[in-house]
């Protein structure tokens, strides 16, 4: 009776105050005072949480990129801005086919390349003649951005825009303020004419313009425009909300912390930019093997929630080239990328470029469908379903199996380790482990191990470091009727929202 009462009180503490020491006022950054010891820094890191826009973005898991423009018709990857707008003439362009196809494949958001480096605009911008308004498509009356936005609303999927800061067509590029004004004008068009925008995607391309000069980008100004006009949009990957994972392979890190050092984050920065809506972006190299481990944060003066996006194209190039129709990534390759991106605490941004007709090519569509089938077959049945759960220092044990991300297992008192034993209903064969932390509470687990009972002893099936929003691990097939998950190390109390065992087809 006393034990049950204690658990009820403990549960109420978690709901009302957060998990042990985290107040209801959570933020996606923290300032570290001078001389703070490592233990205190680690505890602070455990309480840094995603903003609402970052959490929504992480839950997407899969976002589709649509690269279409001048390069589609010239066969290039980077245009020089001298192309004739009359080249752009996709005679069967159907954005509903694009969005319908990727939604059926499990994607929850798309991003359209509204303007690539050649400066050609897929919408009729009033600030340049280098746009669809001077193309033969629909006699210059078309607006591809609008058609994508409309299709996203129809199919209830997120809508994002890519706008290249590098513009090889504009004579203003390299002029300083005048080009930044031009860029803000185009950005404002995109953020005010197409309804809700969920993501704005900038890359770091910064070559020479038509005048032979490079431009100094006013990112801070651009961020403020986005926050004002589309406050729910995440800004990636040259932005404050989402960072680039560091390669264009679609593969993430074995150890992927969403909380990273921000050594130019200080109280004056916060005060100047408002505590409620900071547009701060960490500086420095974000491509190491481990960006947020204890050795990386021990000298931090600030910490910030800055999750990773892994991007890759389904083809060798980012734009459609007919010669690559037989080089589309196979369902099996896409599955491997999935395990190494979404399964490593990243969101996967997969590019599927429309062809010259303006359709997703059959080669790409078939690959997407085969990949979706593999995912469905793999994750159809959680072999832990109906298992009994035991843990001497655990709270809310069954929540790791209830299919509800908003409930979670945690530990008593200030325990940062736990052994969770699960008794399956008979012997099961499995080779995939799925784990999720409730990142709304924070990312905390630093090391874990999965063991199985072979009838005589415990044997290791797999192990890992970070979990984050989702961790997927494959291993040699195991048959057992009992497993245990050992949380060896955690920053404050672990919060395990989901656990699953699956068998690959």
């Amino acid at each position: 009776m006393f034990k049950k009462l204690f658990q009820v009180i403990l549960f109420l503490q978690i709901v009302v105050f957060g998990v042990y020491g985290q107040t209801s006022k959570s933020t996606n950054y923290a300032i570290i005072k001078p001389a703070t010891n490592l233990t205190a820094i680690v505890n602070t890191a455990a309480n840094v949480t995603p903003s609402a826009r970052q959490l929504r973005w992480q839950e997407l898991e899969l976002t589709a990129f649509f690269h279409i423009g001048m390069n589609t018709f010239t066969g290039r990857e980077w245009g020089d801005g001298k192309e004739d707008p009359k080249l752009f003439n996709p005679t069967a362009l159907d954005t509903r086919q694009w969005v319908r196809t990727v939604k059926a494949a499990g994607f929850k958001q798309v991003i359209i390349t509204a303007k690539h480096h050649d400066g050609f605009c897929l919408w009729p911008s009033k600030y340049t003649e280098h746009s669809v308004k001077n193309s033969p498509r629909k006699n210059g009356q078309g607006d591809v951005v609008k058609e994508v936005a409309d299709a996203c609303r129809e199919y209830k999927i997120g809508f994002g825009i890519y706008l290249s800061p590098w513009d090889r067509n504009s004579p203003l590029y390299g002029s300083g303020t005048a080009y930044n004004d031009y860029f803000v004008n185009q950005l404002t068009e995109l953020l005010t004419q197409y309804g809700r925008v969920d993501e704005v995607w900038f890359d770091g391309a910064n070559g020479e313009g038509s005048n032979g000069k490079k431009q100094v980008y006013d990112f801070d100004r651009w961020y403020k425009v986005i926050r004002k006009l589309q406050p729910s949009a995440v800004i990636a990957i040259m932005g404050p909300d989402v960072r680039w994972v560091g390669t264009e392979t679609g593969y993430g890190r074995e150890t992927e912390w969403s909380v990273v050092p921000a050594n130019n984050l200080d109280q004056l920065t916060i005060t100047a930019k408002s505590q409620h809506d900071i547009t701060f972006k960490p500086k420095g190299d974000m491509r190491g093997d481990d960006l947020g481990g204890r050795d990386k944060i021990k000298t931090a003066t600030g910490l910030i929630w800055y999750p990773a996006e892994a991007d890759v194209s389904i083809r060798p190039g980012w734009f459609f080239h007919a010669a690559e129709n037989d080089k589309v990534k196979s369902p099996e390759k896409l599955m491997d990328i999935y395990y190494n991106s979404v399964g490593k605490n990243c969101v996967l941004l997969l590019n599927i470029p429309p062809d010259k007709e303006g359709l997703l090519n059959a080669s790409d569509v078939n690959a997407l469908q085969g990949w979706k089938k593999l995912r469905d077959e793999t994750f159809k049945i959680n072999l832990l379903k109906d298992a009994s759960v035991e843990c001497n220092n655990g709270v809310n044990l069954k929540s790791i199996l209830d299919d509800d991300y908003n409930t979670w297992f945690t530990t008593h008192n200030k325990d940062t380790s736990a052994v969770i034993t699960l008794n399956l209903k008979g012997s099961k064969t499995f080779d995939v482990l799925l784990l999720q932390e409730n990142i709304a509470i924070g990312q905390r687990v630093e090391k874990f191990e999965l063991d199985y009972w072979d009838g005589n002893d415990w044997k290791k099936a797999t192990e890992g470091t970070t979990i984050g929003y989702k961790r997927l691990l494959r291993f040699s097939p195991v048959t057992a009727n009992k497993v245990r998950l050992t949380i060896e190390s955690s920053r404050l109390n672990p919060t395990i929202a989901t656990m699953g065992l699956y068998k690959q087809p």
Side-chain angles (χ1 to χ4, degrees):
M1 178 66 183
F2 176 78
K3 182 179 180 182
K4 186 169 289 187
L5 179 62
F6 174 77
Q7 289 177 334
V8 169
I9 294 171
L10 188 58
F11 177 74
L12 289 173
Q13 287 179 326
I14 293 170
V15 171
V16 176
F17 300 108
V19 178
Y20 304 99
Q22 177 175 326
T23 67
S24 58
K25 185 185 178 183
S26 59
T27 62
N28 69 338
Y29 63 87
I31 294 169
I32 306 298
K33 295 179 179 178
T36 303
N37 63 43
L38 179 58
T39 299
I41 293 173
V42 169
N43 290 349
T44 299
N47 282 317
V48 175
T49 57
S51 66
R53 67 174 74 91
Q54 288 174 316
L55 181 59
R56 185 205 67 84
W57 172 87
Q58 189 83 54
E59 291 173 339
L60 295 171
E61 295 194 5
L62 298 174
T63 299
F65 223 160
F66 296 138
H67 275 65
I68 184 171
M70 276 298 162
N71 295 327
T72 309
F73 297 90
T74 63
R76 305 174 71 177
E77 283 290 304
W78 281 12
D80 59 14
K82 298 175 183 178
E83 299 85 357
D84 187 340
K86 292 183 175 60
L87 289 173
F88 186 81
N89 191 24
T91 55
L93 190 145
D94 184 357
T95 59
R96 296 177 72 253
Q97 184 247 6
W98 307 355
V99 175
R100 184 171 62 247
T101 299
V102 298
K103 182 173 181 178
F107 289 78
K108 297 179 182 177
Q109 183 166 292
V110 307
I111 297 174
I112 178 66
T113 54
K115 183 184 78 169
H116 205 253
H117 309 327
D118 51 53
F120 182 77
C121 299
L122 294 183
W123 80 102
S125 174
K126 67 181 181 182
Y127 298 101
T128 181
E129 295 302 306
H130 200 51
S131 81
V132 290
K133 68 186 178 185
N134 288 312
S135 76
R137 181 176 183 260
K138 294 188 174 182
N139 295 315
Q141 300 302 307
D143 186 338
V144 179
V145 174
K146 181 180 187 302
E147 291 171 47
V148 174
D150 289 348
C152 288
R153 276 191 293 274
E154 178 181 350
Y155 290 102
K156 296 180 173 56
I157 192 171
F159 169 66
I161 57 167
Y162 163 105
L163 189 65
S164 171
W166 187 20
D167 189 322
R168 304 182 75 181
N169 175 268
S170 174
L172 296 173
Y173 185 88
S175 65
T177 301
Y179 176 76
N180 285 317
D181 289 344
Y182 170 78
F183 192 88
V184 165
N185 286 334
Q186 291 198 322
L187 185 60
T188 300
E189 287 182 319
L190 292 169
L191 299 180
T192 57
Q193 298 178 171
Y194 303 103
R196 173 172 165 149
V197 176
D198 296 291
E199 184 165 347
V200 179
W201 209 95
F202 297 135
D203 63 24
N206 187 202
E208 293 182 354
S210 57
N211 57 10
K213 296 180 180 179
K214 290 187 177 182
Q215 173 71 25
V216 176
Y217 301 144
D218 193 352
F219 278 115
D220 284 345
R221 182 182 172 194
W222 303 351
Y223 298 159
K224 290 175 183 176
V225 171
I226 298 167
R227 290 290 192 246
K228 178 182 178 181
L229 299 177
Q230 294 284 349
S232 64
V234 295
I235 309 172
I237 55 174
M238 294 294 294
D241 297 316
V242 174
R243 62 181 158 86
W244 183 41
V245 78
T247 70
E248 292 185 345
T249 64
Y251 285 71
R253 297 171 180 79
E254 288 296 325
T255 298
E256 188 63 75
W257 286 105
S258 293
V259 178
V260 297
N263 290 332
N264 53 335
L265 179 62
D266 56 41
Q267 189 64 56
L268 292 176
T269 303
I270 300 296
T271 302
K273 296 185 183 250
S274 166
Q275 291 191 17
H276 301 291
D277 201 9
I278 184 170
T279 55
F280 170 82
K281 175 179 174 291
K283 296 178 181 178
D285 190 355
M286 285 281 151
R287 291 176 293 177
D289 292 335
D290 177 357
L291 303 181
R294 292 187 179 221
D295 62 325
K296 299 296 190 300
I297 66 174
K298 65 183 180 183
T299 58
T301 59
L303 298 168
I304 196 162
W305 188 277
Y306 200 32
E309 182 175 73
D311 61 327
V312 67
S313 183
I314 199 169
R315 291 166 170 259
W318 288 85
F319 287 86
F320 176 85
H321 309 295
E324 296 178 354
N325 284 351
D326 61 350
K327 297 180 176 64
V328 173
K329 290 177 174 59
S330 67
E332 292 76 18
K333 178 61 175 177
L334 293 172
M335 193 68 177
D336 190 57
I337 290 172
Y338 178 79
Y339 279 112
N340 284 283
S341 54
V342 175
K344 287 182 176 175
N345 192 35
C346 298
V347 168
L348 174 60
L349 177 60
L350 180 68
N351 179 61
I352 311 108
D355 62 20
K356 286 186 176 182
E357 291 184 279
L359 300 171
L360 298 188
N361 189 266
S363 300
D364 306 57
V365 173
N366 291 337
L368 291 173
Q369 291 173 343
W371 176 38
K372 178 62 160 59
K373 183 179 179 183
L374 282 177
R375 298 203 316 275
D376 289 346
E377 290 176 351
T378 300
F379 298 105
K380 182 178 180 180
I381 301 173
N382 184 352
L383 298 172
L384 289 178
K385 182 177 172 62
D386 299 324
S388 62
V389 188
E390 301 171 7
C391 180
N392 290 337
N393 62 338
V395 181
N396 301 329
L397 274 61
K398 272 292 192 178
S399 64
I400 63 173
L401 301 178
D402 65 3
D403 276 338
D404 185 350
Y405 183 73
N406 295 310
T407 64
W408 63 92
F409 161 93
T410 189
T411 51
H412 289 312
N413 303 319
K414 296 182 179 181
D415 291 355
T416 57
S417 61
V419 178
I420 308 167
T421 303
L422 301 104
N423 293 286
L424 287 66
K425 302 295 184 182
S427 292
K428 305 288 175 68
T429 301
F430 47 89
D431 55 11
V432 176
L433 169 66
L434 179 152
L435 292 171
Q436 289 188 280
E437 289 180 87
N438 189 314
I439 60 171
I441 306 301
Q443 185 184 2
R444 299 184 170 192
V445 174
E446 296 177 305
K447 189 176 182 182
F448 64 90
E449 179 174 311
L450 178 73
D451 302 313
Y452 65 95
W453 182 253
D454 71 353
N456 298 301
D457 201 0
W458 288 105
K459 299 289 181 63
K460 180 166 68 175
T462 190
E463 62 183 342
T465 53
T466 47
I467 296 175
Y469 178 73
K470 181 170 283 189
R471 189 68 194 265
L472 295 168
L473 288 169
R474 293 169 290 180
F475 45 89
S476 298
V478 166
T479 301
N481 61 10
K482 184 164 61 173
V483 297
R484 72 180 182 191
L485 176 69
T486 302
I487 306 297
E488 298 182 27
S489 176
S490 177
R491 299 173 175 182
L492 298 181
N493 304 71
T495 60
I496 307 299
T498 308
M499 180 176 178
L501 290 177
Y502 302 90
K503 181 69 184 70
Q504 300 175 86

